[in-house]
């Protein structure tokens, strides 16, 4: 390899421990360094197992998952698969926050760790994990380090130091490589196939030792690396002391640390804590190639894991290592051309030939013995992308990336280790006779109130949706959150089980062992985190739809949210939601009196806040009006005891000095609805707007909009309000009229078609027109009409002046 890894500093850095880094088939210990999910590491490891003939294989991995090793090697298990670890820090050993933690340990066909346990199973050699349990790693890791970094999905394995080290940067600069992946593929994945296991180990140790030399020991202690190495070294020593011939498979970064500890012979066992079984655990689960792809955020992944798994498969079948990459890359190129053609992207035989020529030419220029992924990407870019490279033209490259990443998902064969939430999910699917094992989307028409299992099935679907599993989606049905389609008595759901559903359920294992328990925990978390009345009310609706009665803790959190929320609009939304729950409780067979109590609490807070809403900003006026309407509606029924208090608050608002016109109109409409004699007050308020300046007159349109929204019948009682409205509209010029037109359109949108027809008749009589002409006449452009009027005036003036055209 061009002498790249013949660095003389290796012996100096490794010191006396360097002896343990040598590949010695006759010795008692072999430290085999790997990059996670590397096919060349897996290939050379299989050869090393045969040459070294160990009596035990020790593997980097949390030791509390040793019982799952047979599950991974089960004939019915299909990779990708993973071990899912979780820990509930109820004892606050990790931090005072007492959080829940989880991570994945993925296994691909190209994973050296999987090949280690598979070779062990095939040859009858015991294999076991030797790292600290997941909870102990967390306890020994500082905040924001290692497995405690902020991330959506944590992986136990982490090769980031190998990828981002200072040593790598210097190597790329020296070799002219564009990225670590290109460097790794050339010098390890392709050229590494030519080497003996001993030569490969030497190169790996050299790279990893020089990388480790740049690391700060304090940083390694902080992220738990040193604690883990101390524990693994102890397990290795125990195996050696018992007379075993030991093969150790770990990430390459650990090799030097383990060698030094074993050479020094100073072993101090890490303190292991007594953690109850219900607070920690691990399960096998299906995994996907996409989740294992470095380009999708997997820190320890390689680019295009599907492609590299294909390399591993070819090597296991006995393909020539000296040509395996050429064959795989040509196949990838042809598949990319075929898939591109299906997308109506023209790719000819000549294009394929040209791309292959580019690939082989670049490999020769780069001094690579076989074409690799880097050459395929460059070949596709050169021959398949026509013209300038942009989002549209680069589609073939995206297709190649998708194929190389892989679209497959794994399957766990041994069902005795299925996580409890997944087991509960399958049990309920079977009870409802859902076709959850079919890969195509299915539909379920759920009758909510027809008896049988309809309502129970609806609640199951809502629970799965609340947990964000991606299993189901409501296509049609009542929307209680927004108050839409409440008259529907059926729900139409689409559902489909994918590997992501299982992954989502496993992620929720820390929330409970049944779907109902997980939903209850998730709802409690929302109530605790979002201390707003509106959020609490919508959570109550979710629980209502899921058929989950609020427990004492949840009721206390909800009461706290309602009591302490000073946001008028949040409390108003809460009143609206609690009102819906109270109305539907019997229909949905969900008797819960707490909604009435919260309605009263919300009403008390809203009434005390109403006077301050008289001069609310105009952009909030419609929200205030909406809350006023729901308050008025409820005080006409179940909250009738609040009607007098509401009337007093409305009178205070009407008498305020500065009033937002839309809110003022709505208030006057409600006061009229309470007592019809107040019609005169509403008319006088409108006359006040008419007698004001131009800007004040414009506010009259907003006043009418608010008035008509709460008391539309005030217009139909007699013609006086229509005369006032007509005076408002005819008193504006074109520009001012166009400014108020949106408000006027909204104002009249509150009337029914028959009421509009009645109003049209009165309006027509006011202007000597026919009702039919008002409703069905042709529309005239206001601008064009104004231009014609001005032109007519100009012509008349010229004629009166005796001017000739």
């Amino acid at each position: 390899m061009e002498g790249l890894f013949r660095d003389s500093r290796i012996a100096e850095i490794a010191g006396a421990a360097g002896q343990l880094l040598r590949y010695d088939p006759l010795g008692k210990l072999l430290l085999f360094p790997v990059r996670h999910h590397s096919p060349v590491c897996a290939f050379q490891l299989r050869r090393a197992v045969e040459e070294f003939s160990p009596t035990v294989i020790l593997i980097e991995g949390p030791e509390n998952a040793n019982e799952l090793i047979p599950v991974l090697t089960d004939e019915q298990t299909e990779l990708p698969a993973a071990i899912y670890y979780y820990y509930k820090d109820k004892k606050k050993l990790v931090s005072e926050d007492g959080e829940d933690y989880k991570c994945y340990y993925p296994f691909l066909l190209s994973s050296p760790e999987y090949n280690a346990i598979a070779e062990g199973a095939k040859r009858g050699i015991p294999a076991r994990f030797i790292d600290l349990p997941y909870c102990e790693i967390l306890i020994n890791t500082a905040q924001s380090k290692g497995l405690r970094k902020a991330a959506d999905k944590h992986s136990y394995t982490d090769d980031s130091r190998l990828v981002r080290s200072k040593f790598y940067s210097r190597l790329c600069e020296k070799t002219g490589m564009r990225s670590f992946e290109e460097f790794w593929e050339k010098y390890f994945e392709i050229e590494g196939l030519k080497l003996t296991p001993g030569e490969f180990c030497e190169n790996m140790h050299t790279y990893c030792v020089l990388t480790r030399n740049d690391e700060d020991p304090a940083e390694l202690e902080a992220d738990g690396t040193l604690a883990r190495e101390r524990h693994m070294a102890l397990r290795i020593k125990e195996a050696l002391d018992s007379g075993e011939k030991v093969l150790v498979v770990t990430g390459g970064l650990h090799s030097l640390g383990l060698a030094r500890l074993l050479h020094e012979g100073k072993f101090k066992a890490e303190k292991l804590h007594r953690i109850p079984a219900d607070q920690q655990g691990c399960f096998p689960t299906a995994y996907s190639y996409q989740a294992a792809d470095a380009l999708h955020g997997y820190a320890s992944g390689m680019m295009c894991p599907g492609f590299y798994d294909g390399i591993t498969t070819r090597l296991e079948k006995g393909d020539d290592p000296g040509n395996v990459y050429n064959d795989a890359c040509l196949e990838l190129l042809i598949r990319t051309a075929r898939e591109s053609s299906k997308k109506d992207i023209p790719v000819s035989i000549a294009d394929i030939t040209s791309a292959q020529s580019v690939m082989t030419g670049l490999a020769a220029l780069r001094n690579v013995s076989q074409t690799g992924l880097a050459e395929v990407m460059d070949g596709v870019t050169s021959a398949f992308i026509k013209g300038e490279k942009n989002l549209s033209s680069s589609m073939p490259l995206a297709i190649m990336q998708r194929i190389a990443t892989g679209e497959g998902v794994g399957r766990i064969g041994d069902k005795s280790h299925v996580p409890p939430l997944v087991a509960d999910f399958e049990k309920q699917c079977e009870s409802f006779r859902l076709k959850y094992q079919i890969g195509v989307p299915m539909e379920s028409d759920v009758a909510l109130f027809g008896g049988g299992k309809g309502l129970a099935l609806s609640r199951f679907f809502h629970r799965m949706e609340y947990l964000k599993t991606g299993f189901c989606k409501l296509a049609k049905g009542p929307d209680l959150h927004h108050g839409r389609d409440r008259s529907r008595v059926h729900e139409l759901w689409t559902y489909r089980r994918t590997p992501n559903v299982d992954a989502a359920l496993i992620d929720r294992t820390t929330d409970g062992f049944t779907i109902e328990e997980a939903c209850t925990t998730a709802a409690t978390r929302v109530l605790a985190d979002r201390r707003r009345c509106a959020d609490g009310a919508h959570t109550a609706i979710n629980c209502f739809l899921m058929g989950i009665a609020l427990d004492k803790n949840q009721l206390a959190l909800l009461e706290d949210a309602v009591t302490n929320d000073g946001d008028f609009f949040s409390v108003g939304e809460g009143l609206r939601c609690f009102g819906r729950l109270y109305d539907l409780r019997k229909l949905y067979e969900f008797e819960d009196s707490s909604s009435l109590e919260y309605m009263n609490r919300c009403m008390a807070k809203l009434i005390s806040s109403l006077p301050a809403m008289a001069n609310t900003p105009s952009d909030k006026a419609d929200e205030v009006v909406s809350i006023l309407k729901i308050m008025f509606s409820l005080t006409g029924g179940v909250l009738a005891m609040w009607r007098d208090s509401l009337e007093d608050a409305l009178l205070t608002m009407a008498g305020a000095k500065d009033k937002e016109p839309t809110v003022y109109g709505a208030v006057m409409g409600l006061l009229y609805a309470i007592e019809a004699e107040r019609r005169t007050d509403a008319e006088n308020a409108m006359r006040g707007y008419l007698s004001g300046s131009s800007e004040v007159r414009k506010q009259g349109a907003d006043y009418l909009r608010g008035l008509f929204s709460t008391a539309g019948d005030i217009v139909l009682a007699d013609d006086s309000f229509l005369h006032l409205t007509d005076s408002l509209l005819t008193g504006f010029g074109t520009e001012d009229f166009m400014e108020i037109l949106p408000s006027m359109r909204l104002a009249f949108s509150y009337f029914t078609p028959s009421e509009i027809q009645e109003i049209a008749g009165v309006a027509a009589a006011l202007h000597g027109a026919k009702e039919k002409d008002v409703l069905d006449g042709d529309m005239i452009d206001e601008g064009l009409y104004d231009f014609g009027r001005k032109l007519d005036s100009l012509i008349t003036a010229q004629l009166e002046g005796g001017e000739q055209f």
Side-chain angles (χ1 to χ4, degrees):
M1 291 189 189
E2 307 171 4
L4 191 62
F5 298 106
R6 307 296 180 183
D7 194 312
S8 61
R9 290 182 296 156
I10 179 68
E12 178 185 347
I13 295 170
Q19 285 294 110
L20 294 176
L21 298 178
R22 294 177 55 202
Y23 184 85
D24 181 9
L26 301 178
K28 288 293 184 179
L29 173 66
L30 174 59
L31 297 177
F32 196 96
V34 302
R35 181 187 179 190
H36 303 295
H37 318 308
S38 161
V40 71
C41 290
F43 172 71
Q44 295 289 10
L45 176 61
R46 290 196 299 272
R47 299 172 71 190
V49 171
E50 183 174 359
E51 287 188 10
F52 187 68
S53 297
T55 59
V56 65
I57 300 175
L58 305 181
I59 305 162
E60 177 188 350
E63 62 186 10
N64 57 326
N66 277 322
E67 65 176 11
L68 299 181
I69 289 178
V71 180
L72 296 173
T73 57
D74 186 277
E75 291 182 355
Q76 301 301 316
T77 294
E78 298 175 6
L79 301 186
I83 297 176
Y84 169 86
Y85 295 87
Y86 74 89
Y87 171 56
K88 301 180 181 181
D89 190 27
K90 293 184 178 180
K91 292 186 175 183
K92 299 184 179 181
L93 299 174
V94 177
S95 74
E96 288 300 316
D97 296 329
E99 297 176 308
D100 295 340
Y101 298 89
K102 57 196 174 186
C103 78
Y104 290 87
Y105 187 176
F107 295 88
L108 311 179
L109 290 172
S110 55
S111 302
E113 297 88 347
Y114 172 74
N115 282 267
I117 61 176
E119 284 294 308
K122 183 172 70 174
R123 299 171 183 270
I125 304 172
R128 57 180 180 266
F129 297 127
I130 58 170
D131 202 349
L132 285 170
Y134 174 55
C135 62
E136 301 294 344
I137 297 175
L138 291 169
I139 293 169
N140 284 279
T141 301
Q143 184 177 1
S144 301
K145 303 291 184 180
L147 289 175
R148 293 184 61 192
K149 288 179 181 176
D152 292 334
K153 184 179 291 187
H154 283 102
S155 172
Y156 162 76
T157 53
D158 188 352
D159 281 329
S160 58
R161 283 193 170 91
L162 295 181
V163 176
R164 303 184 184 95
S165 69
K166 296 177 183 178
F167 180 56
Y168 142 70
S169 300
R170 294 193 294 269
L171 280 177
C172 280
E173 182 180 347
K174 178 178 179 180
T175 57
M177 293 297 176
R178 296 170 293 183
S179 68
F180 174 80
E181 295 300 338
E182 186 175 333
F183 162 80
W184 176 269
E185 186 177 61
K186 174 182 177 180
Y187 288 106
F188 283 95
E189 295 299 340
I190 294 177
E191 301 304 321
L193 295 175
K194 300 177 182 179
L195 306 178
T196 66
E199 292 169 335
F200 180 78
C201 263
E202 181 181 350
N203 285 345
M204 277 292 294
H205 278 313
T206 301
Y207 179 82
C208 295
V209 166
L210 292 174
T211 298
R212 172 75 174 244
N213 188 54
D214 287 329
E215 296 297 329
D216 179 5
E219 187 70 17
L220 294 174
E221 187 70 62
D223 69 9
T225 297
L226 298 187
R228 293 170 57 195
E229 290 176 355
R230 289 191 292 267
H231 187 78
M232 288 192 284
L234 178 63
R235 292 291 183 252
I236 296 169
K237 179 67 164 50
E238 290 172 349
L240 290 170
D241 288 346
S242 64
E244 302 281 5
K245 187 176 184 182
V246 183
L247 172 62
V248 181
V249 181
T250 66
L253 191 75
H254 296 299
S255 298
L256 181 58
L258 292 174
R260 285 174 173 170
L261 288 169
L262 290 167
H263 174 74
E264 293 169 1
K266 297 177 181 179
F267 295 97
K268 181 180 178 182
E270 295 296 311
K271 177 185 177 182
L272 299 182
H273 300 79
R274 298 174 64 89
I275 309 296
D278 63 341
Q279 294 177 24
Q280 70 166 332
C282 51
F283 302 102
T285 179
Y287 211 64
S288 70
Y289 279 118
Q290 187 178 50
D293 183 18
L295 294 181
H296 287 82
Y298 175 38
S300 297
M302 293 180 62
M303 285 176 52
C304 308
F307 173 81
Y308 286 117
D309 261 17
I311 295 292
T312 299
T313 300
R314 288 173 180 270
L315 291 170
E316 286 183 327
K317 289 180 178 179
D319 285 14
D320 178 13
N323 204 48
V324 65
Y325 271 86
N326 288 330
D327 293 341
C329 289
L330 180 58
E331 179 185 345
L332 177 59
L333 180 66
I334 294 172
R335 287 186 62 190
T336 300
R338 187 184 300 124
E339 292 297 319
S340 296
S341 297
K342 291 179 182 179
K343 300 290 185 181
D344 296 325
I345 301 171
V347 177
S348 65
I349 298 296
D351 293 330
I352 299 174
T353 303
S354 176
Q356 186 182 18
S357 296
V358 170
M359 289 161 51
T360 54
L362 287 174
L365 286 172
R366 294 167 179 169
N367 198 26
V368 189
S369 59
Q370 300 185 62
T371 58
L373 268 179
E375 286 71 42
V376 179
M377 291 180 184
D378 290 338
V380 170
T381 302
S382 173
F384 287 12
I385 296 177
K386 316 298 183 183
E388 182 182 358
K389 183 180 178 181
N390 53 45
L391 187 62
S392 176
S393 65
S394 62
M395 184 65 72
L397 200 59
I399 292 172
M400 188 224 79
Q401 195 78 54
R402 174 175 56 80
I403 295 172
T405 297
E407 298 178 315
V409 293
R411 184 174 69 88
I412 300 300
D414 185 350
K415 296 298 183 182
S416 63
H417 292 276
V418 171
L421 272 185
V422 176
D424 187 49
F425 160 74
E426 292 179 345
K427 177 182 178 181
Q428 295 198 48
C429 283
E430 290 169 1
S431 70
F432 293 120
R433 298 183 179 179
L434 297 177
K435 299 177 180 179
Y436 68 98
Q437 293 179 322
I438 298 177
V440 297
M442 305 297 294
E443 286 189 352
S444 179
D445 188 349
V446 181
L448 295 174
F449 314 119
K453 293 185 176 181
L455 195 55
L457 177 56
S458 170
R459 288 169 174 170
F460 170 67
F461 279 137
H462 278 290
R463 291 175 183 183
M464 294 298 293
E465 188 176 52
Y466 187 69
L467 293 178
K468 298 179 181 179
T469 62
F471 173 66
C472 54
K473 183 177 181 181
L474 180 64
K476 295 179 182 178
D479 181 355
L480 302 191
H481 286 284
H482 299 93
R484 293 193 291 259
D485 299 327
R486 288 174 54 181
S487 61
R488 289 184 180 269
V489 296
H490 281 250
E491 289 178 338
L492 179 63
W493 291 86
T494 58
Y495 66 92
R496 178 189 182 189
R497 185 184 186 180
T498 66
N500 289 335
V501 174
D502 291 54
L505 289 171
I506 293 174
D507 281 344
R508 293 283 187 175
T509 298
T510 54
D511 289 337
F513 289 169
T514 67
I515 301 297
E516 183 174 349
E517 286 179 7
C519 290
T520 301
T521 302
T524 301
R525 188 160 51 243
V526 171
L527 289 171
D529 293 344
R530 304 176 187 174
R531 300 297 183 91
R532 298 179 68 250
C533 181
D535 293 329
H538 281 290
T539 299
I541 286 181
N542 284 324
C543 290
F544 179 88
L545 292 169
M546 294 186 291
I548 297 175
L550 298 179
D551 59 30
K552 291 182 179 179
N553 182 36
Q554 291 171 325
L555 289 172
L557 290 170
L558 187 56
E559 181 177 349
D560 180 67
V562 175
T563 303
N564 297 318
D565 194 349
D567 185 340
F568 177 85
F569 301 102
S570 174
V571 176
E573 178 65 12
L575 177 66
R576 184 181 289 109
C577 293
F578 291 129
R580 292 183 195 131
L581 296 183
Y582 185 80
D583 288 342
L584 298 172
R585 67 195 189 285
K586 292 184 178 179
L587 185 62
Y588 278 78
E589 301 175 13
F590 192 84
E591 288 293 337
D592 185 355
S593 60
S594 63
S595 56
L596 180 58
E597 178 184 349
Y598 295 126
M599 288 166 65
N600 278 289
R601 289 177 179 271
C602 289
M603 184 65 73
K605 293 179 71 70
L606 290 171
I607 286 179
S608 65
S609 302
L610 271 183
M613 293 296 109
N615 61 347
T616 191
S618 57
D619 61 334
K620 293 288 187 179
D622 288 337
E623 291 184 57
V624 174
V625 171
S626 176
I627 294 172
L628 285 172
K629 289 165 71 174
I630 189 65
M631 292 174 70
F632 181 80
S633 173
L634 291 172
T635 56
V638 65
L639 300 182
M641 72 290 294
W642 291 99
R643 175 54 64 89
D644 290 343
S645 299
L646 176 61
E647 183 178 2
D648 291 341
L650 293 173
L651 289 170
T652 302
M653 294 178 73
K657 183 178 180 181
D658 297 317
K659 298 180 284 289
E660 201 287 326
T662 304
V663 174
Y664 184 31
V667 167
M668 296 307 294
L670 293 177
L671 289 172
Y672 161 77
I674 294 173
E675 189 175 331
E677 286 75 9
R678 291 180 175 137
R679 175 189 178 88
T680 302
D681 296 334
E683 291 178 1
N684 290 336
M686 184 61 201
R687 290 190 179 94
Y689 285 108
L690 290 174
S691 62
S693 64
S694 175
E695 291 303 315
V696 173
R697 289 172 63 84
K698 291 177 187 178
Q699 293 179 4
D702 292 324
Y703 172 82
L704 289 177
R705 177 158 64 92
L707 180 71
F708 293 173
S709 71
T710 57
D713 60 321
I714 200 170
V715 177
L716 305 174
D718 59 42
D719 297 344
S720 58
F721 247 103
L722 286 177
H723 282 276
L724 291 172
T725 305
D726 183 71
S727 297
L728 175 70
L729 297 177
T730 56
F732 288 115
T734 301
E735 292 184 4
D736 289 340
F737 177 79
M738 295 303 293
E739 187 177 338
I740 70 164
L741 185 57
S743 289
M744 293 308 303
R745 283 177 171 167
L746 285 173
F748 282 95
S749 68
Y750 297 109
F751 296 104
T752 64
S754 60
E755 290 172 340
I756 290 293
Q757 187 170 3
E758 183 179 344
I759 292 170
V762 178
L766 287 175
H767 294 276
K770 296 180 180 179
E771 177 183 327
K772 181 179 179 182
D773 294 335
V774 173
L775 290 173
D776 304 323
D778 294 334
M779 298 293 293
I780 300 175
D781 183 89
E782 291 286 342
L784 182 61
Y785 177 81
D786 187 55
F787 174 75
R789 184 167 56 82
K790 290 180 180 179
L791 184 62
D792 184 63
S793 299
L794 180 60
I795 293 173
T796 300
Q798 289 178 332
L799 289 175
E800 289 176 350
E803 297 181 21
Q804 299 294 320
F805 290 97

